[in-house]
Amino acid sequence: MCNRRRRTVVVAFAILAVLAERPLRAQDTDAYRSVVERLAGRVEALTLLESPARQNPEIGPLDTLTYGTISLLVPPPRRAFADEVGRAVWDTIVAYFGPDTSAVAPTVVALVPAGRRVPLAATFQIPLRPEHPVDYAIGFVLNQVREREVARIDHGRWGEWFSQAAKAMLFWPSDLRLQAAYFDLATKPWSGVRDCFAGDLGQCARVASVGPDDPVTGHFTVEERRRIVERARRDVLPLRRSAAAARCVDDGIDSACVELFQQHPAWIREDPLSPMTRATLIHTALDLGGEGAFGRLVASEGEDVLARLATAAGVSQDTLLATWQRRILAERPQSTTLPRLPGWLAFLWAVVFTVAATRSTRWHRG
């Protein structure tokens, strides 16, 4: 009874804290829904943390360490380990989600010895061995946060798009993401990518897979689709025997190419830009939007991802795309100039290489 009463008090304080944080207006439906979701998450997390199951007879008492909306349950001997994990995880979340970290769903993670479990159904559990490094646990916790947030953003066709981009955002530093994005735009052979590199914002939306066009017909030209299927047919045995592949490659029938893209994406689907590059678009939107940006992204709905990102950023779609493309191009590698050799030294080296080449077996005529 004492525990039940204590949980009731905790829940009551959680309700008061959330309601005091943002006064509601009757007509403000989005704000109401946001507060209700956050309230439900906090109540769930606080209930778990106050549960008697923390006194697990198999593991013993667990300490609770809290970092923002992330709570770690850990045996006391691993407290220092968990503290390092929690700090690193929260620093990454702040860098990803920006100042709007209160919008991140409360997550409870138990760092328990391998082979043991905490009987809390809603708690994510990481089995730890003494030899596991801190990065091992950090990766597990970040991946759990990613899965929860992606599920909140989108349950439909865009879930995988957000999932891949979020993974790149959480596990790669910002400067490396931008450098990889520049390499993507500068080297991919597709015409849409080249046009985006040159400043065509419409093509930028298409190749980033956020435009309204069909991803198959919008990403590549007719000839590019045929070349992709031709290359895949050389590597994938079922495609060598496929009548649709023959019609696509040998007869040049584009409808057969489109059919293959749609029916066998695992064999031939190729995204114009990598998830790393798409991650920089999300990060640009959250960075431009500042406080409240991630909350607006979660609250937004619909199949138009670019419109949702622009809403989160608080700018027009063209402004978002232009800022994103400009930031990527700013990562252009700086050219380096080697010190010029004196003329006589350059001539000497030229003579040395010439003599070496003419004395080799390939050039020697006997």
Side-chain angles (χ1 to χ4, degrees):
M1 180 64 69
C2 179
N3 286 328
R4 184 180 304 170
R5 189 174 301 152
R6 182 171 57 179
R7 288 199 300 273
T8 303
V9 172
V10 170
V11 172
F13 272 108
I15 294 173
L16 291 175
V18 175
L19 292 179
E21 185 175 312
R22 181 183 295 178
L24 293 179
R25 295 174 298 175
Q27 69 273 23
D28 196 347
T29 306
D30 290 338
Y32 176 76
R33 178 169 51 189
S34 175
V35 170
V36 169
E37 289 178 353
R38 290 167 58 188
L39 173 61
R42 290 184 185 182
V43 168
E44 176 189 21
L46 288 169
T47 301
L48 286 172
L49 294 177
E50 289 299 316
S51 170
R54 288 181 58 210
Q55 302 295 329
N56 185 276
E58 186 180 6
I59 300 176
L62 298 175
D63 288 347
T64 301
L65 306 180
T66 301
Y67 308 85
T69 60
I70 309 300
S71 296
L72 304 181
L73 306 181
V74 60
R78 304 302 302 271
R79 186 182 179 95
F81 178 92
D83 182 59
E84 188 173 353
V85 171
R87 292 178 186 277
V89 165
W90 193 247
D91 287 347
T92 303
I93 290 174
V94 170
Y96 174 19
F97 295 102
D100 193 28
T101 48
S102 62
V104 178
T107 303
V108 180
V109 180
L111 307 178
V112 296
R116 309 289 182 87
R117 287 192 64 80
V118 175
L120 297 174
T123 303
F124 180 68
Q125 308 198 25
I126 302 176
L128 290 178
R129 299 186 183 277
E131 66 271 18
H132 283 155
V134 170
D135 289 345
Y136 173 86
I138 292 172
F140 265 96
V141 177
L142 285 176
N143 197 54
Q144 176 67 9
V145 172
R146 174 182 69 90
E147 290 179 355
R148 293 195 66 170
E149 295 309 315
V150 168
R152 295 174 66 214
I153 293 173
D154 194 281
H155 295 277
R157 60 178 289 222
W158 292 105
E160 183 63 21
W161 188 96
F162 281 113
S163 180
Q164 292 179 359
K167 183 184 293 185
M169 290 185 68
L170 287 173
F171 291 98
W172 286 82
S174 177
D175 56 340
L176 291 182
R177 291 197 304 266
L178 285 171
Q179 291 169 16
Y182 180 86
F183 182 80
D184 235 8
L185 283 186
T187 63
K188 287 294 183 72
W190 317 122
S191 59
V193 175
R194 293 197 300 268
D195 291 342
C196 176
F197 186 85
D200 187 330
L201 298 183
Q203 288 290 12
C204 286
R206 293 186 184 93
V207 297
S209 306
V210 294
D213 300 325
D214 177 79
V216 174
T217 57
H219 286 169
F220 307 105
T221 65
V222 171
E223 177 56 25
E224 287 170 348
R225 284 192 288 274
R226 192 194 68 79
R227 282 166 39 205
I228 292 172
V229 174
E230 181 179 24
R231 183 178 62 191
R233 190 167 67 161
R234 291 196 297 265
D235 300 329
V236 181
L237 182 60
L239 285 179
R240 298 178 195 170
R241 306 168 181 170
S242 168
R247 292 197 305 273
C248 169
V249 176
D250 302 331
D251 302 333
I253 300 176
D254 185 54
S255 59
C257 300
V258 172
E259 176 186 340
L260 288 170
F261 269 76
Q262 294 171 337
Q263 293 184 355
H264 305 290
W267 290 347
I268 61 174
R269 174 65 61 84
E270 178 165 347
D271 292 322
L273 296 177
S274 68
M276 190 81 71
T277 302
R278 299 200 297 267
T280 62
L281 179 58
I282 298 182
H283 191 267
T284 299
L286 298 180
D287 184 51
L288 290 176
E291 186 174 359
F294 184 71
R296 290 193 295 273
L297 178 59
V298 173
S300 64
E301 297 178 350
E303 292 293 319
D304 192 335
V305 172
L306 182 58
R308 295 177 63 184
L309 291 175
T311 297
V315 298
S316 69
Q317 296 180 23
D318 282 349
T319 298
L320 171 59
L321 289 171
T323 304
W324 171 64
Q325 192 251 16
R326 185 170 61 252
R327 289 183 177 183
I328 292 176
L329 295 189
E331 292 298 316
R332 182 192 306 270
Q334 299 297 316
S335 59
T336 58
T337 303
L338 295 176
R340 186 164 54 188
L341 296 174
W344 64 269
L345 184 57
F347 175 75
L348 177 60
W349 277 112
V351 171
V352 169
F353 284 119
T354 302
V355 171
T358 56
R359 289 177 63 85
S360 67
T361 303
R362 177 181 175 187
W363 295 96
H364 187 56
R365 295 180 180 274

